[in-house]
Amino acid sequence: MSLRLGGAVALAAAYLAFTAVPAFAGPTLDAVKSKGQLTCGVNTGLPGFSSPDSQGKWTGLDVDICKAVAAVILNDTNKIRYTPLSAQQRLTALQSGEIDLLVRNTTWSLTRDAQGLDYAPVVYYDGQGLMVPKSLGVTSAKQLDGATICVQPGTTTELNLADWFRAHNLSFKPVVIEALDELNAAFFAGRCDVLTTDISGLAGVRASVATKPDDFIILPEVMSKEPLAPVVRHGDNQWRDIVSWTIYALIEAEEKGITQANVDAKLKDVDPSVQRLLGVQGDLGTGLGVDKAWAYRAIKAVGNYGEIFERNIGKKTPLKLDRGLNALWTNGGLMYAPPVR
Amino acid sequence: MSDSNVTVTKAAAPPGQAAFHLSINNPVVRAILAQLGVALAVALVAWYLVGNTMDNLARLSIASGFGFLDREAGFQIGETLIEFGPQDHYSTAFLVGILNTLKVSGIGILLATLLGVVLGIARLSSNWLVARIAAFYVETVRNVPLLLQLFLWYGLLTEGLPGPRQALSPLPGIFLSNRGLKLPAPADDPIWAWVAALFGLGVILTLVITAWNAKRQAATGKRLSMLPIGLGLILGLPLSVLLASGGGAIDMPVLQGFNFRGGMTLSPEFAALLFGLVIYTAAFIGEIVRSGILAVPKGQTEAATALGLTRGQVLRLVVLPQALRVIIPPTTSQFLNLTKNSSLAVAIGYPDFVSIANTTINQTGQAVEGVLAIMAAYLVISLSLSFLMNWYNSRVALVER
Ligand SMILES: N[C@@H](CCC(=O)N[C@@H](CS)C(=O)NCC(=O)O)C(=O)O
């Protein structure tokens, strides 16, 4: 058996050595068009965000963003190749050109932004949380002095954990396990007192892995800011613009009341801003390097941001997440698209 | 390209050697050209790879260099041999990782060797059942991927054992739970320094007496039994001081909050990795030992038996020393395998060097440097181990007259 250098990290280093990273000036759009396929990096399986169902079909909020981009460029949400990536593999997979776009509950941070990457707008405002079994009798993170905590490497989670405990002058013991399945197994077997990751991730794990979800609680403390956003390679401005405005279009659509169901009817709407967004008036797409009906296709394919949210992670799903910070700015949330004009 | 090589080499050849045909038909010239060609190709590929990597890194504006090593690490490590906290530097974190790798490989090599020798001998046993069991062990363990075995051990230790509040306590101060095995540990007390010093003294005295005993046996044929002497010196000496002083202070593990505090811990991660590595590698070492023993001619055993040696003596004094010459070289490579396989640690959460280097790469983004550090560390460990084993091999090798 050969030395296992932490999965893809070594591979990625090899990629950097063997491949030529695509040069600038819109190469990603051209490459996607000529391949006729969008290669989208997603999670290996995080319910609500990106996970394959029993037929191998991918669903989730992150997956819907991939689909929207594919609809804009290729007019076909089936022309996507999903590349499941572990926490450690994801950034190098993008840097090395293995994928065109990374939509994998990835936190936007300065260090990552400066690693040859660029971020599109946030699609889910999250924060790090702590999940414990109810039987532990803990109601606040401040009571966790001396706890053993299960955490996945390659995440911002791993980094925030030590900071938070230092700031609160508490001690803890990390158990760092690479594969999410094994990590969850260790936590549910009682090896750790606490499981920590993004609160949305905890909700997903609780809903899908715990035998009795009600036996576990997520503590009230939010330990960090985790703005989850799609990632592209640094320097390909056109590509970043397309991904960014696709997301803005989905947010704008919610604000204007355009849904997957009524988008065709809305083509006849008298509101000029709706007409511009759907390409009835003007030609906003050309500036991006796509055609007039770009936003129409995205909305037609996956619905507006609110629909995507409710379908995948909202109150009617096992994750039961509130809109919270992810409500439209008009409803007191942070979802805000710049003028589409 | 090969054409231009030919001309260059021809021109560079010293004129004095012209007598020996400087032609492509001369096998010596051809051999030299082939060597040069390979060297050149390797250099070109290396040059291309390094250049390309630098280009790509620059284009992605990824900084390179090892400057990050003396920045604050900011992460916590679950088990360490030296003091470590998030305020320490990445270089200290690396050291912690290397020590953890050395700890599990060192203990693993020792135990795998012991178990391997037992297995090798057992497979050759005249007792049918013992031989069968050993054969079954070897065949099963060798053919199941190590990673699966690690998951199995880790699963057994974490799912099979109760939580800390229901820990099994076979003896006072000893607790077994899914948080690991908690044992009483020597507390901060000067008496333990004396105990350690006397233990060391006992080991040295035993070695000296053993050497003297061997000389005496060579000269007079008389021999003292070493077992009671060794035990008395190595264990008796420190124990008597400990008892005389009324016993040293002991740090007992106690359940506090939801975990144990104090005492020493054998973590489930370490235990699972150690079990996995030892049990897997011992199967291979067992086969090597078996083949080594079979390589010793039967006449040796017969002659030794004819001299009146007991079966144990035949094995210990005649067969094993000769078998060692066959056993050591392939065993060395098993030791190296065990060390390298310990990098599977991150799969079950043991903080070995690879796991810590991965975390560092995640924090700093210095993937190329991190992977280089991993390669360098394993290279140094492997080379030192080979060096040591080669030295030992040359000592036991047959000295021919
Ligand atoms: N948002 C954090 C954490 C993202 C993350 O990787 N979360 C884990 C735990 S929920 C995950 O999705 N793991 C899935 C996997 O590795 O397969 C980050 O960007 O570092």
Side-chain angles (χ1 to χ4, degrees):
Chain A
M1 184 174 302
S2 70
L3 180 59
R4 195 173 115 134
L5 298 171
V9 173
L11 248 183
Y15 260 122
L16 287 173
F18 282 101
T19 60
V21 171
F24 301 147
T28 316
L29 178 63
D30 293 345
V32 170
K33 275 187 181 158
S34 67
K35 280 187 298 184
Q37 192 183 49
L38 174 72
T39 312
C40 214
V42 291
N43 203 303
T44 57
L46 182 62
F49 284 83
S50 42
S51 60
D53 66 11
S54 50
Q55 275 107 51
K57 270 180 54 193
W58 287 85
T59 57
L61 184 139
D62 283 348
V63 169
D64 282 347
I65 302 296
C66 293
K67 285 185 177 166
V69 173
V72 166
I73 301 167
L74 302 169
N75 190 18
D76 189 345
T77 54
N78 291 317
K79 291 191 177 153
I80 304 179
R81 203 175 80 210
Y82 297 99
T83 304
L85 295 166
S86 80
Q88 271 183 19
Q89 296 165 327
R90 58 183 155 177
L91 299 183
T92 24
L94 181 63
Q95 287 164 338
S96 60
E98 196 187 337
I99 54 176
D100 302 313
L101 172 65
L102 177 71
V103 200
R104 187 207 169 282
N105 54 318
T106 297
T107 302
W108 186 352
S109 77
L110 190 152
T111 312
R112 287 179 176 175
D113 207 334
Q115 273 171 43
L117 303 173
D118 275 336
Y119 280 78
V122 174
V123 295
Y124 187 87
Y125 289 94
D126 207 343
Q128 184 172 340
L130 300 153
M131 181 159 79
V132 295
K134 270 192 188 144
S135 59
L136 202 64
V138 167
T139 51
S140 153
K142 308 250 167 57
Q143 298 164 321
L144 288 177
D145 194 23
T148 305
I149 303 186
C150 277
V151 58
Q152 201 181 22
T155 57
T156 48
T157 317
E158 189 187 10
L159 316 184
N160 298 328
L161 187 62
D163 280 2
W164 195 88
F165 275 78
R166 262 166 99 183
H168 291 81
N169 216 350
L170 303 173
S171 70
F172 75 102
K173 237 183 202 334
V175 173
V176 183
I177 299 182
E178 194 176 25
L180 188 61
D181 292 347
E182 294 298 324
L183 184 80
N184 292 338
F187 170 69
F188 288 111
R191 169 64 184 105
C192 302
D193 303 300
V194 186
L195 178 66
T196 183
T197 183
D198 300 342
I199 291 172
S200 63
L202 291 177
V205 169
R206 179 168 65 175
S208 67
V209 190
T211 29
K212 287 202 201 118
D214 290 340
D215 288 354
F216 295 88
I217 52 166
I218 296 172
L219 297 178
E221 283 83 358
V222 178
M223 301 163 73
S224 66
K225 294 185 280 190
E226 305 290 331
L228 309 182
V231 200
V232 296
R233 273 183 295 280
H234 179 82
D236 191 341
N237 295 344
Q238 184 192 19
W239 182 242
R240 181 186 174 184
D241 284 348
I242 292 174
V243 175
S244 300
W245 283 99
T246 303
I247 294 164
Y248 287 140
L250 299 175
I251 297 173
E252 181 77 0
E254 183 180 10
E255 195 180 330
K256 298 289 172 202
I258 310 170
T259 64
Q260 194 171 17
N262 74 10
V263 62
D264 285 309
K266 286 282 180 182
L267 289 173
K268 300 189 196 75
D269 200 298
V270 289
D271 182 346
S273 65
V274 172
Q275 292 190 354
R276 271 196 302 272
L277 179 65
L278 298 181
V280 180
Q281 282 301 318
D283 190 6
L284 290 173
T286 321
L288 288 176
V290 290
D291 65 353
K292 278 161 94 159
W294 62 285
Y296 165 84
R297 282 198 302 273
I299 301 162
K300 183 90 184 160
V302 293
N304 66 40
Y305 178 78
E307 292 178 278
I308 296 174
F309 189 103
E310 294 304 338
R311 178 167 63 234
N312 295 300
I313 58 179
K315 280 291 172 205
K316 293 204 188 76
T317 68
L319 276 77
K320 300 193 182 70
L321 292 171
D322 272 329
R323 280 298 287 270
L325 288 176
N326 299 293
L328 286 182
W329 64 290
T330 45
N331 296 334
L334 293 174
M335 285 298 161
Y336 179 107
V340 185
R341 71 178 307 151
Chain B
M1 189 163 73
S2 65
D3 270 358
S4 65
N5 265 347
V6 176
T7 29
V8 171
T9 324
K10 269 184 187 162
Q17 310 233 324
F20 114 127
H21 285 307
L22 200 56
S23 126
I24 195 82
N25 295 326
N26 183 337
V28 179
V29 172
R30 272 211 308 274
I32 294 176
L33 283 181
Q35 302 273 359
L36 278 176
V38 171
L40 191 69
V42 170
L44 275 176
V45 170
W47 180 69
Y48 167 76
L49 289 181
V50 172
N52 203 16
T53 307
M54 300 307 265
D55 271 5
N56 284 339
L57 288 177
R59 189 160 6 190
L60 289 167
S61 60
I62 299 177
S64 47
F66 283 91
F68 67 91
L69 277 179
D70 49 43
R71 291 210 301 264
E72 183 183 282
F75 61 92
Q76 181 63 283
I77 302 177
E79 54 184 299
T80 62
L81 284 176
I82 53 173
E83 204 76 37
F84 180 84
Q87 66 289 343
D88 286 315
H89 291 179
Y90 282 112
S91 47
T92 319
F94 274 19
L95 184 63
V96 167
I98 291 176
L99 288 175
N100 278 345
T101 292
L102 290 177
K103 173 170 124 183
V104 73
S105 333
I107 301 179
I109 284 175
L110 266 175
L111 297 181
T113 311
L114 289 178
L115 184 60
V117 170
V118 170
L119 277 173
I121 295 173
R123 258 200 106 165
L124 294 171
S125 166
S126 50
N127 181 324
W128 184 85
L129 189 64
V130 169
R132 285 294 101 187
I133 291 178
F136 177 75
Y137 172 105
V138 168
E139 289 314 326
T140 344
V141 165
R142 272 204 310 186
N143 290 308
V144 177
L146 177 56
L147 187 60
L148 286 185
Q149 299 190 30
L150 293 180
F151 285 147
L152 176 80
W153 289 115
Y154 192 55
L156 279 180
L157 290 177
T158 51
E159 320 233 356
L161 292 171
R165 287 175 188 176
Q166 292 84 34
L168 309 169
S169 182
L171 288 172
I174 298 182
F175 298 96
L176 186 63
S177 70
N178 59 15
R179 302 301 162 84
L181 180 64
K182 296 278 166 179
L183 300 168
D188 211 2
D189 184 333
I191 186 75
W192 293 108
W194 284 104
V195 171
L198 283 173
F199 176 81
L201 187 70
V203 171
I204 294 174
L205 280 179
T206 310
L207 288 178
V208 171
I209 297 177
T210 310
W212 169 82
N213 196 19
K215 258 197 208 133
R216 196 172 92 115
Q217 188 186 14
T220 67
K222 285 191 213 132
R223 176 169 196 284
L224 290 176
S225 173
M226 279 308 297
L227 197 66
I229 302 180
L231 276 183
L233 285 173
I234 297 177
L235 295 181
L237 217 54
L239 272 182
S240 52
V241 174
L242 193 58
L243 291 180
S245 74
I250 288 186
D251 181 17
M252 285 286 202
V254 279
L255 188 64
Q256 202 183 74
F258 17 73
N259 274 327
F260 289 96
R261 305 259 169 131
M264 330 189 261
T265 316
L266 183 68
S267 74
E269 291 77 27
F270 176 75
L273 184 63
L274 185 69
F275 288 172
L277 290 174
V278 165
I279 287 171
Y280 183 74
T281 315
F284 292 89
I285 296 184
E287 286 301 274
I288 296 172
V289 169
R290 183 170 73 114
S291 70
I293 292 177
L294 289 177
V296 178
K298 225 171 157 45
Q300 295 284 324
T301 316
E302 288 165 358
T305 318
L307 284 176
L309 298 185
T310 66
R311 286 184 61 120
Q313 281 174 323
V314 172
L315 193 63
R316 198 158 48 83
L317 300 174
V318 178
V319 176
L320 280 184
Q322 299 187 66
L324 268 188
R325 293 174 194 137
V326 181
I327 292 174
I328 288 174
T331 305
T332 304
S333 80
Q334 288 306 323
F335 289 176
L336 295 177
N337 278 351
L338 187 147
T339 309
K340 288 180 282 181
N341 285 342
S342 75
S343 65
L344 290 169
V346 64
I348 53 167
Y350 178 71
D352 79 321
F353 183 53
V354 174
S355 157
I356 286 170
N358 277 342
T359 295
T360 304
I361 291 172
N362 169 37
Q363 298 215 22
T364 59
Q366 315 276 197
V368 174
E369 289 80 359
V371 172
L372 279 180
I374 295 173
M375 289 182 359
Y378 277 90
L379 193 66
V380 170
I381 296 176
S382 296
L383 286 180
S384 322
L385 197 59
S386 308
F387 182 78
L388 212 75
M389 291 301 289
N390 285 341
W391 170 80
Y392 182 61
N393 191 32
S394 67
R395 280 205 37 182
V396 299
L398 196 61
V399 187
E400 299 196 31
R401 272 177 260 234

